[in-house]
Amino acid sequence: MGEARELFARRLGLFIHWGIYAIPGWQEQHQLRLRVPRVEYARLAEQFSPSAFDPDAWIDVAEAAGMSYLVFTTKHLDGFCLWDTQTTDFRVTRTPCARDVLAQLATACHRRHMPLGLYFSAIDLHCPFYPNRGQGHELAGPEPGDTPDWERFVGYMEQQVRELCTGYGKLAMFWWDSGPEIALPAPHLNPLIRELQPGILINNRGFSDDGDFSTPERDFDPDLGAQTRFTGAVEACQSVGVESWGWREDEDYFSDRYLLGEIDRVLARGGNYLLNVGPRPDGAIDAQAARILSVVGKWYDTIREAFTEVEAADDITTEPAVPVTRRGDTVYLHLHRPLNARRLLLTNVRCLPKRAVLLNDGRQIRCSTDLLPWRHRTGQRPVRLCDLPVDEYAGSVMVVRVDLATTPDGN
Ligand code: GLC
């Protein structure tokens, strides 16, 4: 897991959902959720002509957002392949685009030392021998002329996996989708990926094993909120908008504060965060999404040290639950939830810190151990961080660096 740790030390990644579903600009599961007949949906490929596709521009956006790896949808549920596969005509090189966009992206990533991961859906709504049974994200049943055959479909996936793992240089991740919900066997695929790409990380949405890391999605997973420190490798994923992972013309974008809070919470607990954007049909990243990513990047740049070579530490404050990261006697308080007042009590710190600094803008934060009226009976004098600019930062997430004079429990 040496290389795995190295990738996980990279923390923030850019997820890219791109395919012919970007053309109608509704949602990446356009075919399934609008119940569009397969043949009609597949005609979108005739319009796929991404005149603004420039992988370097995507990498620029990722870098400016503080991201240090990228995961790209090679094949989503619709079965459309964004590489020059020999397994089907339903592929990017048979559209007006006529280029192997994965090859171009991989070349740019390798040139710029940007680790590349590949998303690959195990459900395939286009392939006539995929056995649709109406489970999860499958079609309700076979379409006229289909010949469902799981064994044959596994062979088809295997060929595609071989192409992806041999034709595009070193891969950092194989990011399966939908495997667990299919619940059919294909136990040799993960070992094959590992054989073809030694050192690769595989997520937990494939077949037959839990992979190297878990993938809590959006904020659906209550465990994610409850844990104060992750025990295993976690990569949370979220899109910039509420409704879609692919480009959505009328998207309801998340607030900056919400996204920064989620990123901070997950990173502070030792996880990675994969934030998704869906490029427009022409390949350009939407201006609203680009703005969000640049906000993430500017914020991350100022507080990055709170995630560098740190450990997720036990809370040194209980009011409210604030995740803490720690490097030696330096602790970082992650105020990912809005505070109700301009102060924070470090209930487990007994002597005045050497200093406290708001990383977001470098200002010093006053510390006090004066007796507080509410504590007159106990006489406890917890360290108090005073005058925190809670209203000024209402739209962002503050991270406070505290240089302790001694260890948190005062020993
Ligand atoms: C959900 C969506 C799917 C998307 C995936 C990314 O499973 O249904 O469309 O690709 O999230 O994690």
Side-chain angles (χ1 to χ4, degrees):
M1 282 290 279
E3 291 182 63
R5 283 210 192 87
E6 197 185 301
L7 187 69
F8 264 80
R10 289 177 178 268
R11 316 312 304 273
L12 255 186
L14 182 64
F15 208 176
I16 298 183
H17 273 65
W18 198 44
I20 56 175
Y21 44 75
I23 296 167
W26 188 74
Q27 214 251 8
E28 78 282 355
Q29 294 173 25
H30 185 106
Q31 177 185 358
L32 181 77
R33 295 192 183 195
L34 292 178
R35 292 156 189 80
V36 181
R38 179 188 294 150
V39 180
E40 187 186 325
Y41 177 79
R43 272 195 220 112
L44 286 171
E46 295 163 16
Q47 298 170 49
F48 194 65
S49 180
S51 52
F53 171 63
D54 174 4
D56 277 293
W58 289 0
I59 299 171
D60 289 345
V61 165
E63 284 181 352
M67 291 158 167
S68 44
Y69 65 100
L70 204 144
V71 179
F72 176 64
T73 49
T74 57
K75 183 176 86 160
H76 205 260
L77 305 179
D78 62 3
F80 180 74
C81 298
L82 284 109
W83 78 100
D84 189 24
T85 178
Q86 299 310 299
T87 59
T88 173
D89 284 343
F90 196 41
R91 65 181 196 256
V92 69
T93 41
R94 289 286 167 93
T95 69
C97 171
R99 283 172 289 160
D100 185 333
V101 296
L102 176 61
Q104 295 190 327
L105 176 62
T107 303
C109 284
H110 298 320
R111 175 167 37 79
R112 293 178 62 172
H113 307 291
M114 175 65 82
L116 175 65
L118 304 184
Y119 167 107
F120 182 89
S121 169
I123 289 180
D124 187 322
L125 305 182
H126 188 80
C127 181
F129 36 91
Y130 180 85
N132 284 291
R133 299 154 298 167
Q135 288 190 195
H137 295 82
E138 294 177 344
L139 298 179
E143 294 210 346
D146 281 358
T147 51
D149 182 342
W150 177 250
E151 289 305 313
R152 190 170 169 207
F153 182 72
V154 170
Y156 179 73
M157 276 199 292
E158 178 181 326
Q159 239 182 303
Q160 296 190 331
V161 161
R162 277 184 188 279
E163 289 178 352
L164 292 170
C165 291
T166 55
Y168 299 91
K170 185 158 175 52
L171 301 177
M173 269 187 187
F174 200 90
W175 215 100
W176 286 104
D177 202 5
S178 327
E181 70 181 74
I182 296 176
L184 288 171
H188 63 297
L189 291 181
N190 276 3
L192 175 68
I193 295 168
R194 293 191 197 287
E195 182 194 316
L196 298 174
Q197 287 280 341
I200 196 169
L201 289 171
I202 305 180
N203 75 351
N204 65 344
R205 297 192 192 178
F207 296 95
S208 76
D209 70 47
D210 290 338
D212 302 307
F213 61 96
S214 66
T215 53
E217 184 177 308
R218 294 204 182 268
D219 41 18
F220 299 157
D221 188 342
D223 281 354
L224 184 67
Q227 288 181 61
T228 51
R229 203 191 304 196
F230 299 139
T231 43
V234 168
E235 184 201 61
C237 55
Q238 175 63 290
S239 193
V240 289
V242 177
E243 288 290 340
S244 183
W245 297 75
W247 180 64
R248 174 165 165 76
E249 190 166 17
D250 188 20
E251 182 58 285
D252 301 313
Y253 287 95
F254 284 112
S255 66
D256 297 349
R257 186 179 209 294
Y258 170 76
L259 287 176
L260 297 182
E262 289 294 290
I263 294 171
D264 185 64
R265 183 167 74 93
V266 169
L267 266 51
R269 288 172 178 166
N272 272 25
Y273 204 90
L274 191 59
L275 183 61
N276 173 78
V277 69
R280 300 172 63 99
D282 68 358
I285 292 181
D286 187 279
Q288 295 191 70
R291 188 202 62 77
I292 291 173
L293 291 171
S294 88
V295 167
V296 170
K298 286 190 189 112
W299 169 82
Y300 191 62
D301 209 35
T302 59
I303 55 96
R304 185 189 287 261
E305 67 164 270
F307 298 116
T308 310
E309 287 163 22
V310 290
E311 293 174 324
D314 291 323
D315 289 355
I316 60 169
T317 170
T318 49
E319 297 185 64
V322 171
V324 179
T325 50
R326 175 166 193 182
R327 189 188 321 102
D329 285 343
T330 297
V331 294
Y332 299 93
L333 305 164
H334 297 264
L335 309 184
H336 69 89
R337 278 204 242 145
L339 295 178
N340 63 355
R342 298 171 62 85
R343 73 145 190 230
L344 183 68
L345 298 183
L346 307 186
T347 30
N348 294 330
V349 177
R350 297 210 180 93
C351 60
L352 266 182
K354 287 188 202 144
R355 82 184 70 81
V357 174
L358 178 63
L359 285 186
N360 306 63
D361 58 16
R363 86 179 73 172
Q364 293 265 344
I365 299 297
R366 181 168 65 91
C367 301
S368 164
T369 49
D370 285 355
L371 183 67
L372 296 168
W374 278 100
R375 299 196 173 221
H376 72 104
R377 279 193 201 284
T378 63
Q380 284 169 341
R381 293 162 174 254
V383 170
R384 181 170 134 242
L385 302 181
C386 314
D387 308 324
L388 290 166
V390 287
D391 294 315
E392 197 180 319
Y393 278 92
S396 186
V397 168
M398 293 188 281
V399 179
V400 182
R401 170 188 165 134
V402 179
D403 294 320
L404 300 168
T406 58
T407 50
D409 57 8
N411 297 320

